[in-house]
mmCIF file of all heavy atoms in Angstrom:
data_model
loop_
_atom_site.group_PDB
_atom_site.id
_atom_site.type_symbol
_atom_site.label_atom_id
_atom_site.label_comp_id
_atom_site.label_asym_id
_atom_site.label_seq_id
_atom_site.Cartn_x
_atom_site.Cartn_y
_atom_site.Cartn_z
ATOM 1 N N GLY L 612 120.873 127.500 50.053
ATOM 2 C CA GLY L 612 121.973 128.378 49.666
ATOM 3 C C GLY L 612 122.667 127.912 48.395
ATOM 4 O O GLY L 612 122.804 126.712 48.141
ATOM 5 N N ASN L 613 123.097 128.866 47.588
ATOM 6 C CA ASN L 613 123.847 128.569 46.360
ATOM 7 C C ASN L 613 125.330 128.357 46.664
ATOM 8 O O ASN L 613 125.854 128.865 47.648
ATOM 9 C CB ASN L 613 123.730 129.732 45.364
ATOM 10 C CG ASN L 613 122.297 130.029 44.963
ATOM 11 O OD1 ASN L 613 121.521 129.113 44.703
ATOM 12 N ND2 ASN L 613 121.947 131.303 44.895
ATOM 13 N N ILE L 614 126.008 127.622 45.777
ATOM 14 C CA ILE L 614 127.470 127.576 45.772
ATOM 15 C C ILE L 614 127.925 128.562 44.698
ATOM 16 O O ILE L 614 127.581 128.423 43.522
ATOM 17 C CB ILE L 614 128.017 126.174 45.457
ATOM 18 C CG1 ILE L 614 127.443 125.130 46.412
ATOM 19 C CG2 ILE L 614 129.551 126.178 45.507
ATOM 20 C CD1 ILE L 614 127.931 125.247 47.819
ATOM 21 N N ILE L 615 128.688 129.578 45.104
ATOM 22 C CA ILE L 615 129.076 130.659 44.201
ATOM 23 C C ILE L 615 130.593 130.753 44.117
ATOM 24 O O ILE L 615 131.283 130.724 45.141
ATOM 25 C CB ILE L 615 128.495 132.004 44.682
ATOM 26 C CG1 ILE L 615 126.956 131.947 44.709
ATOM 27 C CG2 ILE L 615 128.975 133.157 43.809
ATOM 28 C CD1 ILE L 615 126.317 133.197 45.286
ATOM 29 N N PHE L 616 131.105 130.851 42.891
ATOM 30 C CA PHE L 616 132.526 131.123 42.671
ATOM 31 C C PHE L 616 132.701 132.618 42.406
ATOM 32 O O PHE L 616 131.922 133.219 41.655
ATOM 33 C CB PHE L 616 133.057 130.358 41.464
ATOM 34 C CG PHE L 616 133.303 128.894 41.708
ATOM 35 C CD1 PHE L 616 133.638 128.055 40.656
ATOM 36 C CD2 PHE L 616 133.208 128.349 42.969
ATOM 37 C CE1 PHE L 616 133.881 126.711 40.861
ATOM 38 C CE2 PHE L 616 133.432 127.004 43.196
ATOM 39 C CZ PHE L 616 133.774 126.186 42.141
ATOM 40 N N ILE L 617 133.741 133.197 42.995
ATOM 41 C CA ILE L 617 134.092 134.597 42.734
ATOM 42 C C ILE L 617 135.558 134.654 42.314
ATOM 43 O O ILE L 617 136.431 134.114 43.004
ATOM 44 C CB ILE L 617 133.861 135.482 43.975
ATOM 45 C CG1 ILE L 617 132.373 135.549 44.314
ATOM 46 C CG2 ILE L 617 134.404 136.888 43.738
ATOM 47 C CD1 ILE L 617 132.040 136.493 45.455
ATOM 48 N N GLY L 618 135.829 135.304 41.185
ATOM 49 C CA GLY L 618 137.200 135.445 40.713
ATOM 50 C C GLY L 618 138.003 136.359 41.629
ATOM 51 O O GLY L 618 137.526 137.422 42.018
ATOM 52 N N ASP L 619 139.212 135.942 41.977
ATOM 53 C CA ASP L 619 140.087 136.718 42.863
ATOM 54 C C ASP L 619 141.473 136.774 42.237
ATOM 55 O O ASP L 619 142.171 135.756 42.165
ATOM 56 C CB ASP L 619 140.138 136.060 44.242
ATOM 57 C CG ASP L 619 140.888 136.902 45.274
ATOM 58 O OD1 ASP L 619 141.711 137.746 44.864
ATOM 59 O OD2 ASP L 619 140.660 136.710 46.476
ATOM 60 N N GLU L 620 141.864 137.965 41.780
ATOM 61 C CA GLU L 620 143.158 138.100 41.117
ATOM 62 C C GLU L 620 144.325 137.953 42.088
ATOM 63 O O GLU L 620 145.483 137.815 41.676
ATOM 64 C CB GLU L 620 143.247 139.444 40.404
ATOM 65 C CG GLU L 620 143.158 140.646 41.318
ATOM 66 C CD GLU L 620 143.080 141.968 40.570
ATOM 67 O OE1 GLU L 620 142.867 141.957 39.351
ATOM 68 O OE2 GLU L 620 143.224 143.008 41.230
ATOM 69 N N GLY L 621 144.049 137.943 43.396
ATOM 70 C CA GLY L 621 145.115 137.760 44.386
ATOM 71 C C GLY L 621 145.505 136.309 44.572
ATOM 72 O O GLY L 621 146.538 136.011 45.175
ATOM 73 N N LEU L 622 144.698 135.369 44.059
ATOM 74 C CA LEU L 622 145.007 133.939 44.171
ATOM 75 C C LEU L 622 145.709 133.481 42.910
ATOM 76 O O LEU L 622 145.354 133.893 41.806
ATOM 77 C CB LEU L 622 143.724 133.125 44.378
ATOM 78 C CG LEU L 622 142.924 133.440 45.641
ATOM 79 C CD1 LEU L 622 141.644 132.623 45.675
ATOM 80 C CD2 LEU L 622 143.751 133.164 46.886
ATOM 81 N N ARG L 623 146.685 132.604 43.077
ATOM 82 C CA ARG L 623 147.486 132.171 41.923
ATOM 83 C C ARG L 623 147.444 130.672 41.679
ATOM 84 O O ARG L 623 147.935 130.208 40.657
ATOM 85 C CB ARG L 623 148.948 132.603 42.122
ATOM 86 C CG ARG L 623 149.152 134.076 42.346
ATOM 87 C CD ARG L 623 148.804 134.897 41.121
ATOM 88 N NE ARG L 623 149.730 134.633 40.036
ATOM 89 C CZ ARG L 623 149.439 134.802 38.750
ATOM 90 N NH1 ARG L 623 148.248 135.188 38.397
ATOM 91 N NH2 ARG L 623 150.342 134.565 37.828
ATOM 92 N N THR L 624 146.904 129.893 42.627
ATOM 93 C CA THR L 624 146.893 128.440 42.473
ATOM 94 C C THR L 624 145.571 127.868 42.974
ATOM 95 O O THR L 624 144.790 128.539 43.635
ATOM 96 C CB THR L 624 148.036 127.774 43.275
ATOM 97 O OG1 THR L 624 147.697 127.787 44.670
ATOM 98 C CG2 THR L 624 149.358 128.485 43.061
ATOM 99 N N LEU L 625 145.355 126.580 42.665
ATOM 100 C CA LEU L 625 144.172 125.850 43.136
ATOM 101 C C LEU L 625 144.533 124.920 44.298
ATOM 102 O O LEU L 625 143.812 123.967 44.573
ATOM 103 C CB LEU L 625 143.583 125.019 41.986
ATOM 104 C CG LEU L 625 143.033 125.806 40.797
ATOM 105 C CD1 LEU L 625 142.661 124.869 39.656
ATOM 106 C CD2 LEU L 625 141.831 126.637 41.209
ATOM 107 N N VAL L 626 145.636 125.232 44.962
ATOM 108 C CA VAL L 626 146.135 124.301 45.977
ATOM 109 C C VAL L 626 145.127 124.063 47.097
ATOM 110 O O VAL L 626 145.047 122.963 47.654
ATOM 111 C CB VAL L 626 147.493 124.798 46.541
ATOM 112 C CG1 VAL L 626 147.318 126.089 47.332
ATOM 113 C CG2 VAL L 626 148.152 123.724 47.390
ATOM 114 N N ASP L 627 144.306 125.055 47.459
ATOM 115 C CA ASP L 627 143.336 124.877 48.547
ATOM 116 C C ASP L 627 142.326 123.785 48.238
ATOM 117 O O ASP L 627 141.821 123.114 49.145
ATOM 118 C CB ASP L 627 142.599 126.186 48.826
ATOM 119 C CG ASP L 627 143.505 127.239 49.448
ATOM 120 O OD1 ASP L 627 144.577 126.853 49.944
ATOM 121 O OD2 ASP L 627 143.150 128.428 49.420
ATOM 122 N N PHE L 628 142.003 123.598 46.954
ATOM 123 C CA PHE L 628 141.007 122.600 46.571
ATOM 124 C C PHE L 628 141.585 121.185 46.566
ATOM 125 O O PHE L 628 140.864 120.222 46.336
ATOM 126 C CB PHE L 628 140.430 122.932 45.193
ATOM 127 C CG PHE L 628 139.660 124.224 45.181
ATOM 128 C CD1 PHE L 628 140.219 125.385 44.664
ATOM 129 C CD2 PHE L 628 138.381 124.289 45.698
ATOM 130 C CE1 PHE L 628 139.520 126.573 44.660
ATOM 131 C CE2 PHE L 628 137.670 125.484 45.704
ATOM 132 C CZ PHE L 628 138.238 126.610 45.184
ATOM 133 N N ARG L 629 142.883 121.064 46.813
ATOM 134 C CA ARG L 629 143.477 119.727 46.927
ATOM 135 C C ARG L 629 143.191 119.137 48.302
ATOM 136 O O ARG L 629 143.195 117.926 48.480
ATOM 137 C CB ARG L 629 144.992 119.812 46.712
ATOM 138 C CG ARG L 629 145.412 120.480 45.413
ATOM 139 C CD ARG L 629 145.356 119.521 44.240
ATOM 140 N NE ARG L 629 145.650 120.213 42.989
ATOM 141 C CZ ARG L 629 146.868 120.461 42.542
ATOM 142 N NH1 ARG L 629 147.914 120.096 43.263
ATOM 143 N NH2 ARG L 629 147.054 121.068 41.387
ATOM 144 N N TYR L 630 142.983 120.000 49.291
ATOM 145 C CA TYR L 630 142.810 119.529 50.662
ATOM 146 C C TYR L 630 141.337 119.375 51.040
ATOM 147 O O TYR L 630 140.995 118.584 51.901
ATOM 148 C CB TYR L 630 143.490 120.499 51.633
ATOM 149 C CG TYR L 630 144.959 120.688 51.345
ATOM 150 C CD1 TYR L 630 145.461 121.926 50.937
ATOM 151 C CD2 TYR L 630 145.854 119.622 51.453
ATOM 152 C CE1 TYR L 630 146.807 122.094 50.647
ATOM 153 C CE2 TYR L 630 147.194 119.786 51.171
ATOM 154 C CZ TYR L 630 147.672 121.019 50.770
ATOM 155 O OH TYR L 630 149.004 121.173 50.483
ATOM 156 N N LYS L 631 140.469 120.162 50.421
ATOM 157 C CA LYS L 631 139.033 120.029 50.672
ATOM 158 C C LYS L 631 138.336 119.926 49.333
ATOM 159 O O LYS L 631 138.470 120.821 48.492
ATOM 160 C CB LYS L 631 138.500 121.227 51.463
ATOM 161 C CG LYS L 631 137.023 121.083 51.804
ATOM 162 C CD LYS L 631 136.492 122.251 52.611
ATOM 163 C CE LYS L 631 135.005 122.056 52.895
ATOM 164 N NZ LYS L 631 134.417 123.210 53.604
ATOM 165 N N ARG L 632 137.569 118.855 49.150
ATOM 166 C CA ARG L 632 136.980 118.581 47.834
ATOM 167 C C ARG L 632 135.453 118.663 47.824
ATOM 168 O O ARG L 632 134.852 118.683 46.758
ATOM 169 C CB ARG L 632 137.411 117.201 47.333
ATOM 170 C CG ARG L 632 138.903 117.092 47.075
ATOM 171 C CD ARG L 632 139.270 115.699 46.585
ATOM 172 N NE ARG L 632 140.693 115.567 46.350
ATOM 173 C CZ ARG L 632 141.294 115.849 45.204
ATOM 174 N NH1 ARG L 632 140.589 116.310 44.193
ATOM 175 N NH2 ARG L 632 142.601 115.681 45.055
ATOM 176 N N HIS L 633 134.811 118.656 48.985
ATOM 177 C CA HIS L 633 133.346 118.643 49.047
ATOM 178 C C HIS L 633 132.830 119.956 49.635
ATOM 179 O O HIS L 633 133.279 120.382 50.707
ATOM 180 C CB HIS L 633 132.853 117.465 49.894
ATOM 181 C CG HIS L 633 133.055 116.128 49.231
ATOM 182 N ND1 HIS L 633 134.293 115.545 49.116
ATOM 183 C CD2 HIS L 633 132.177 115.273 48.640
ATOM 184 C CE1 HIS L 633 134.166 114.377 48.482
ATOM 185 N NE2 HIS L 633 132.898 114.201 48.177
ATOM 186 N N TYR L 634 131.863 120.550 48.949
ATOM 187 C CA TYR L 634 131.288 121.822 49.390
ATOM 188 C C TYR L 634 129.760 121.744 49.263
ATOM 189 O O TYR L 634 129.246 121.432 48.186
ATOM 190 C CB TYR L 634 131.823 122.987 48.550
ATOM 191 C CG TYR L 634 133.324 123.116 48.615
ATOM 192 C CD1 TYR L 634 134.137 122.429 47.719
ATOM 193 C CD2 TYR L 634 133.931 123.909 49.586
ATOM 194 C CE1 TYR L 634 135.518 122.529 47.788
ATOM 195 C CE2 TYR L 634 135.310 124.018 49.661
ATOM 196 C CZ TYR L 634 136.093 123.326 48.760
ATOM 197 O OH TYR L 634 137.454 123.425 48.830
ATOM 198 N N LYS L 635 129.066 122.047 50.375
ATOM 199 C CA LYS L 635 127.603 121.973 50.382
ATOM 200 C C LYS L 635 127.018 123.278 50.902
ATOM 201 O O LYS L 635 127.513 123.854 51.874
ATOM 202 C CB LYS L 635 127.123 120.809 51.251
ATOM 203 C CG LYS L 635 127.471 119.439 50.690
ATOM 204 C CD LYS L 635 126.859 118.314 51.517
ATOM 205 C CE LYS L 635 127.180 116.949 50.922
ATOM 206 N NZ LYS L 635 126.572 115.842 51.707
ATOM 207 N N GLY L 636 125.951 123.730 50.249
ATOM 208 C CA GLY L 636 125.263 124.932 50.683
ATOM 209 C C GLY L 636 124.338 124.655 51.854
ATOM 210 O O GLY L 636 123.937 123.511 52.097
ATOM 211 N N ASP L 637 123.963 125.708 52.582
ATOM 212 C CA ASP L 637 123.049 125.573 53.720
ATOM 213 C C ASP L 637 121.652 125.210 53.247
ATOM 214 O O ASP L 637 121.187 125.690 52.210
ATOM 215 C CB ASP L 637 122.960 126.909 54.479
ATOM 216 C CG ASP L 637 124.136 127.115 55.412
ATOM 217 O OD1 ASP L 637 124.919 126.173 55.573
ATOM 218 O OD2 ASP L 637 124.262 128.224 55.952
ATOM 219 N N ARG L 638 120.977 124.392 54.049
ATOM 220 C CA ARG L 638 119.582 124.071 53.768
ATOM 221 C C ARG L 638 118.705 125.234 54.229
ATOM 222 O O ARG L 638 118.992 125.901 55.224
ATOM 223 C CB ARG L 638 119.171 122.801 54.503
ATOM 224 C CG ARG L 638 117.698 122.478 54.289
ATOM 225 C CD ARG L 638 117.283 121.116 54.788
ATOM 226 N NE ARG L 638 115.949 120.825 54.299
ATOM 227 C CZ ARG L 638 115.529 119.634 53.914
ATOM 228 N NH1 ARG L 638 116.354 118.616 53.953
ATOM 229 N NH2 ARG L 638 114.302 119.452 53.479
ATOM 230 N N GLY L 639 117.601 125.480 53.499
ATOM 231 C CA GLY L 639 116.631 126.470 53.934
ATOM 232 C C GLY L 639 115.856 125.955 55.137
ATOM 233 O O GLY L 639 115.654 124.744 55.299
ATOM 234 N N ASP L 640 115.425 126.860 55.994
ATOM 235 C CA ASP L 640 114.623 126.444 57.156
ATOM 236 C C ASP L 640 113.220 126.047 56.711
ATOM 237 O O ASP L 640 112.716 126.515 55.677
ATOM 238 C CB ASP L 640 114.520 127.595 58.169
ATOM 239 C CG ASP L 640 115.823 127.824 58.918
ATOM 240 O OD1 ASP L 640 116.722 126.967 58.803
ATOM 241 O OD2 ASP L 640 115.942 128.863 59.596
ATOM 242 N N HIS L 641 112.574 125.191 57.511
ATOM 243 C CA HIS L 641 111.216 124.748 57.199
ATOM 244 C C HIS L 641 110.224 125.888 57.473
ATOM 245 O O HIS L 641 110.458 126.770 58.308
ATOM 246 C CB HIS L 641 110.838 123.534 58.036
ATOM 247 C CG HIS L 641 111.740 122.353 57.803
ATOM 248 N ND1 HIS L 641 112.209 122.007 56.558
ATOM 249 C CD2 HIS L 641 112.252 121.428 58.667
ATOM 250 C CE1 HIS L 641 112.966 120.925 56.657
ATOM 251 N NE2 HIS L 641 113.017 120.562 57.929
ATOM 252 N N GLY L 642 109.120 125.840 56.735
ATOM 253 C CA GLY L 642 108.051 126.795 56.981
ATOM 254 C C GLY L 642 107.406 126.550 58.344
ATOM 255 O O GLY L 642 107.557 125.482 58.935
ATOM 256 N N GLN L 643 106.683 127.541 58.838
ATOM 257 C CA GLN L 643 106.046 127.427 60.147
ATOM 258 C C GLN L 643 104.589 127.865 60.066
ATOM 259 O O GLN L 643 104.114 128.341 59.026
ATOM 260 C CB GLN L 643 106.803 128.295 61.156
ATOM 261 C CG GLN L 643 108.268 127.917 61.322
ATOM 262 C CD GLN L 643 108.975 128.832 62.294
ATOM 263 O OE1 GLN L 643 108.444 129.165 63.347
ATOM 264 N NE2 GLN L 643 110.173 129.266 61.929
ATOM 265 N N ALA L 644 103.901 127.696 61.179
ATOM 266 C CA ALA L 644 102.501 128.125 61.262
ATOM 267 C C ALA L 644 102.424 129.647 61.160
ATOM 268 O O ALA L 644 103.442 130.346 61.163
ATOM 269 C CB ALA L 644 101.886 127.633 62.567
ATOM 270 N N LYS L 645 101.187 130.130 61.074
ATOM 271 C CA LYS L 645 100.912 131.576 60.960
ATOM 272 C C LYS L 645 101.552 132.166 59.701
ATOM 273 O O LYS L 645 101.998 133.317 59.690
ATOM 274 C CB LYS L 645 101.402 132.318 62.203
ATOM 275 C CG LYS L 645 100.714 131.865 63.490
ATOM 276 C CD LYS L 645 101.183 132.674 64.678
ATOM 277 C CE LYS L 645 100.471 132.202 65.957
ATOM 278 N NZ LYS L 645 100.910 132.963 67.162
#
């Protein structure tokens, strides 16, 4: 999975990023038989 930023005119500060600093995307599932 990608990490994507989306602009939101309803937000006015970066305060949320002060409390959580690490963001990781989901891993893809492994391939299977057949």
Side-chain angles (χ1 to χ4, degrees):
N613 301 317
I614 305 290
I615 299 175
F616 284 173
I617 294 185
D619 187 337
E620 62 187 12
L622 299 177
R623 304 293 293 155
T624 75
L625 296 172
V626 67
D627 291 343
F628 295 102
R629 305 278 175 83
Y630 303 115
K631 183 179 179 184
R632 295 180 181 271
H633 289 73
Y634 301 89
K635 293 185 178 181
D637 280 352
R638 177 170 191 143
D640 287 349
H641 300 320
Q643 300 178 43
K645 299 183 180 179

